[in-house]
Amino acid sequence: MLKLGISRTFKLIPRANRFSGVLSAAGFKSNLNPDIQYPNSVLDYGGTPALKHTYTNDEEPFSGFIPLEKIAIKYERSGGPGGQHVNKVNTKAEVRFHLDSAEWIPANARNKLKLMYHTRINKNGEFIVVSDRTRTQTLNLADCLDKIRFAVREAQYVPPEPTKESKAEIRNRIQKGQRAILRQKRMRSMTKQERGSL
C-alpha cells in the first residue's frame, strides 16, 4: 500500500498478476467460434490453400525448393508503386535460370514449361521471371520465386480422368444448348415469315 498526500491509498499489483484477467479473456471462445461449431474439422486460418495435384507415376512431385545458388537474381529500377522513391532505388526483381540445366525441376515439367511459357524463355534458353508489384526487393524476389513455383506445379499438373457421370452431364449440357439454339432459330424464322405474309 502506498499513501500519498491525498487521503487515497493505492495497492501495487505484482507484475505476474497484472495481465491474468486479460489473458483469460483472450482464451475465451464464443458459441459461434468455428472450433466449437465444427469440433472434428481441421481449420486453417489465413494460410494459402494446399494445392491438390495429381502427377504421373514416373515423376516425383516438385517440392517447391528453389536453390538460390542455381538462379541469377538482378535488381533494377521499377515502374511499379512508390512515387518518386521508385526513381532512386532498385526494387524490381528479375530472376533467370537456364531451363535445360535446372535439375531441381522434374524433366517432364521442364519440357512442358517450354511449351506453356515459351514467351518467358530467351534465345539462350533462360527462363525469366520479373516482379515489381511491391516497393521492396525482398517481397519482389519472393513474388518471382512464387511465380516459378506456380509455373512448375502447373506444368506438372495432370487433370483427372472424367467419370461416366461427368461425361453424361457434359453431353446433356451440349444437347440442351443445341436445342436452345434451334428453338431461337425457329422463333426467328417464324417472325420473318409473319412479316412476309402481310
Side-chain angles (χ1 to χ4, degrees), residues 29-30 32-39 41-49:
K29 291 184 179 179
S30 75
L32 301 176
N33 190 302
D35 293 333
I36 294 172
Q37 293 282 331
Y38 309 100
S41 67
V42 178
L43 299 172
D44 181 23
Y45 298 109
T48 55

Short mmCIF file of all heavy atoms in Angstrom, two decimals, residues 29-30 32-39 41-49:
data_model
loop_
_atom_site.label_atom_id
_atom_site.label_comp_id
_atom_site.label_asym_id
_atom_site.label_seq_id
_atom_site.Cartn_x
_atom_site.Cartn_y
_atom_site.Cartn_z
N LYS A 29 -13.80 -18.38 -26.02
CA LYS A 29 -14.38 -18.73 -27.33
C LYS A 29 -15.89 -18.72 -27.20
O LYS A 29 -16.44 -19.39 -26.33
CB LYS A 29 -13.91 -20.11 -27.77
CG LYS A 29 -12.44 -20.16 -28.12
CD LYS A 29 -12.06 -21.51 -28.64
CE LYS A 29 -10.59 -21.52 -29.01
NZ LYS A 29 -10.18 -22.83 -29.50
N SER A 30 -16.54 -17.97 -28.08
CA SER A 30 -17.99 -17.91 -28.05
C SER A 30 -18.58 -19.16 -28.69
O SER A 30 -17.87 -19.96 -29.29
CB SER A 30 -18.50 -16.66 -28.78
OG SER A 30 -18.38 -16.85 -30.16
N LEU A 32 -20.25 -19.21 -31.29
CA LEU A 32 -20.21 -19.06 -32.75
C LEU A 32 -18.82 -19.33 -33.31
O LEU A 32 -18.61 -19.25 -34.52
CB LEU A 32 -20.65 -17.66 -33.15
CG LEU A 32 -22.06 -17.27 -32.70
CD1 LEU A 32 -22.36 -15.83 -33.06
CD2 LEU A 32 -23.08 -18.20 -33.34
N ASN A 33 -17.83 -19.64 -32.46
CA ASN A 33 -16.47 -19.92 -32.90
C ASN A 33 -16.46 -21.18 -33.76
O ASN A 33 -17.09 -22.17 -33.41
CB ASN A 33 -15.58 -20.10 -31.67
CG ASN A 33 -14.11 -20.15 -32.05
OD1 ASN A 33 -13.71 -21.00 -32.84
ND2 ASN A 33 -13.34 -19.25 -31.50
N PRO A 34 -15.75 -21.17 -34.91
CA PRO A 34 -15.72 -22.35 -35.77
C PRO A 34 -15.17 -23.60 -35.09
O PRO A 34 -15.55 -24.71 -35.43
CB PRO A 34 -14.81 -21.93 -36.93
CG PRO A 34 -14.86 -20.46 -36.94
CD PRO A 34 -15.07 -20.03 -35.53
N ASP A 35 -14.26 -23.42 -34.12
CA ASP A 35 -13.73 -24.58 -33.40
C ASP A 35 -14.82 -25.28 -32.60
O ASP A 35 -14.79 -26.50 -32.43
CB ASP A 35 -12.60 -24.16 -32.46
CG ASP A 35 -11.37 -23.69 -33.22
OD1 ASP A 35 -11.19 -24.16 -34.37
OD2 ASP A 35 -10.60 -22.87 -32.68
N ILE A 36 -15.77 -24.51 -32.10
CA ILE A 36 -16.87 -25.09 -31.33
C ILE A 36 -17.97 -25.58 -32.27
O ILE A 36 -18.57 -26.64 -32.05
CB ILE A 36 -17.41 -24.06 -30.31
CG1 ILE A 36 -16.32 -23.79 -29.27
CG2 ILE A 36 -18.69 -24.56 -29.65
CD1 ILE A 36 -16.63 -22.67 -28.32
N GLN A 37 -18.23 -24.83 -33.35
CA GLN A 37 -19.27 -25.23 -34.31
C GLN A 37 -18.91 -26.53 -35.03
O GLN A 37 -19.75 -27.37 -35.29
CB GLN A 37 -19.48 -24.14 -35.36
CG GLN A 37 -20.09 -22.87 -34.81
CD GLN A 37 -21.58 -22.99 -34.60
OE1 GLN A 37 -22.24 -23.74 -35.30
NE2 GLN A 37 -22.10 -22.27 -33.63
N TYR A 38 -17.62 -26.68 -35.39
CA TYR A 38 -17.16 -27.85 -36.14
C TYR A 38 -15.99 -28.49 -35.39
O TYR A 38 -14.82 -28.30 -35.76
CB TYR A 38 -16.71 -27.44 -37.55
CG TYR A 38 -17.74 -26.62 -38.28
CD1 TYR A 38 -17.63 -25.22 -38.37
CD2 TYR A 38 -18.83 -27.23 -38.87
CE1 TYR A 38 -18.59 -24.48 -39.02
CE2 TYR A 38 -19.79 -26.48 -39.52
CZ TYR A 38 -19.66 -25.11 -39.60
OH TYR A 38 -20.60 -24.38 -40.25
N PRO A 39 -16.26 -29.24 -34.32
CA PRO A 39 -15.17 -29.73 -33.47
C PRO A 39 -14.27 -30.77 -34.14
O PRO A 39 -13.11 -30.88 -33.79
CB PRO A 39 -15.91 -30.34 -32.28
CG PRO A 39 -17.28 -30.65 -32.79
CD PRO A 39 -17.57 -29.65 -33.85
N SER A 41 -13.32 -30.91 -37.36
CA SER A 41 -12.66 -30.48 -38.58
C SER A 41 -11.33 -29.81 -38.26
O SER A 41 -11.11 -29.31 -37.17
CB SER A 41 -13.55 -29.51 -39.35
OG SER A 41 -13.68 -28.32 -38.63
N VAL A 42 -10.45 -29.81 -39.26
CA VAL A 42 -9.16 -29.13 -39.12
C VAL A 42 -9.29 -27.82 -39.88
O VAL A 42 -9.44 -27.81 -41.10
CB VAL A 42 -8.02 -29.99 -39.71
CG1 VAL A 42 -6.71 -29.26 -39.59
CG2 VAL A 42 -7.97 -31.33 -39.01
N LEU A 43 -9.24 -26.71 -39.15
CA LEU A 43 -9.43 -25.41 -39.77
C LEU A 43 -8.08 -24.73 -39.95
O LEU A 43 -7.26 -24.73 -39.04
CB LEU A 43 -10.34 -24.54 -38.91
CG LEU A 43 -11.75 -25.10 -38.68
CD1 LEU A 43 -12.47 -24.26 -37.66
CD2 LEU A 43 -12.51 -25.11 -39.97
N ASP A 44 -7.86 -24.17 -41.11
CA ASP A 44 -6.63 -23.44 -41.41
C ASP A 44 -7.00 -21.98 -41.60
O ASP A 44 -7.69 -21.64 -42.55
CB ASP A 44 -5.97 -24.02 -42.66
CG ASP A 44 -4.67 -23.32 -42.99
OD1 ASP A 44 -4.07 -22.74 -42.07
OD2 ASP A 44 -4.28 -23.35 -44.16
N TYR A 45 -6.57 -21.12 -40.69
CA TYR A 45 -6.94 -19.71 -40.75
C TYR A 45 -5.89 -18.92 -41.51
O TYR A 45 -4.75 -18.84 -41.10
CB TYR A 45 -7.08 -19.12 -39.35
CG TYR A 45 -8.15 -19.77 -38.53
CD1 TYR A 45 -7.84 -20.59 -37.46
CD2 TYR A 45 -9.48 -19.58 -38.84
CE1 TYR A 45 -8.82 -21.19 -36.71
CE2 TYR A 45 -10.48 -20.18 -38.10
CZ TYR A 45 -10.14 -20.98 -37.04
OH TYR A 45 -11.12 -21.57 -36.31
N GLY A 46 -6.29 -18.33 -42.64
CA GLY A 46 -5.45 -17.35 -43.30
C GLY A 46 -4.30 -17.88 -44.13
O GLY A 46 -3.64 -17.12 -44.80
N GLY A 47 -4.03 -19.15 -44.12
CA GLY A 47 -2.93 -19.66 -44.91
C GLY A 47 -3.34 -19.83 -46.37
O GLY A 47 -4.50 -19.72 -46.72
N THR A 48 -2.36 -20.10 -47.21
CA THR A 48 -2.69 -20.35 -48.60
C THR A 48 -3.25 -21.75 -48.73
O THR A 48 -2.78 -22.67 -48.06
CB THR A 48 -1.44 -20.22 -49.49
OG1 THR A 48 -0.43 -21.10 -48.97
CG2 THR A 48 -0.92 -18.80 -49.49
N PRO A 49 -4.26 -21.95 -49.55
CA PRO A 49 -4.85 -23.28 -49.67
C PRO A 49 -3.86 -24.26 -50.27
O PRO A 49 -3.07 -23.91 -51.14
CB PRO A 49 -6.04 -23.07 -50.59
CG PRO A 49 -5.75 -21.82 -51.31
CD PRO A 49 -4.90 -20.98 -50.41
#
